[in-house]
Amino acid sequence: MNKRPPYVGSILREVVAVSVGLGLGVSWPLVGACAPDLAEPAAEEQRSEISSTVSAVTWTDGPWPFTVDEGELRCLGPEDGPGVFFATDTGKLFALNPAAILMADRVGARTDLGPIWRNHPDLPGVMVNVSPMILYALTLC
């Protein structure tokens, strides 16, 4: 039996938080493969879906991070660790935070933001930071 030390999950969460905060998203594929301590919540911990429309026109917290002009932020899961998703007007759902990435297969979401992630207008080769969008969504959850 291959049991990992209990601190590995918290280290992974910190790495993800730092990479998301920097707008890198580098460790996202690793989260689903390495973080079983973020297990699916029990049925009694599930919350109903909460959503809010956001748009490039009304967004004021830095550059708009997406190539689509508007969408819907959705929170799914337990109150103390909800998954944050962005839904486009075409119905595509994208996972924005580690909890959402873990739920992606169950809810039909994509974990790759590439198709909708915008290049930073002032920094060639750098993507716009999505952390402000995630933080805003978490205030709604």
Side-chain angles (χ1 to χ4, degrees):
M1 181 175 187
N2 187 5
K3 186 172 179 172
R4 66 174 197 190
Y7 57 83
V8 171
S10 62
I11 291 171
L12 287 173
R13 282 190 293 277
E14 292 300 320
V15 168
V16 170
V18 169
S19 67
V20 169
L22 294 173
L24 301 175
V26 174
S27 60
W28 286 1
L30 300 176
V31 174
C34 303
D37 63 325
L38 297 176
E40 183 178 318
E44 62 273 5
E45 295 176 358
Q46 293 288 339
R47 290 187 50 176
S48 59
E49 181 177 321
I50 299 169
S51 65
S52 177
T53 301
V54 289
S55 73
V57 173
T58 60
W59 184 249
T60 59
D61 197 2
W64 177 249
F66 304 118
T67 57
V68 295
D69 291 331
E70 68 179 21
E72 188 176 328
L73 289 174
R74 297 182 183 167
C75 297
L76 298 170
E79 188 173 338
D80 64 344
V84 175
F85 298 88
F86 181 81
T88 66
D89 60 353
T90 60
K92 291 183 181 169
L93 191 62
F94 293 87
L96 296 183
N97 70 343
I101 290 168
L102 291 174
M103 293 184 226
D105 286 341
R106 271 190 301 131
V107 299
R110 296 181 64 161
T111 58
D112 174 21
L113 291 180
I116 62 164
W117 205 357
R118 186 170 166 240
N119 288 310
H120 197 286
D122 301 324
L123 303 169
V126 175
M127 307 309 285
V128 174
N129 188 353
V130 296
S131 292
M133 184 68 65
I134 296 168
L135 292 173
Y136 172 70
L138 289 172
T139 67
L140 303 172
C141 301

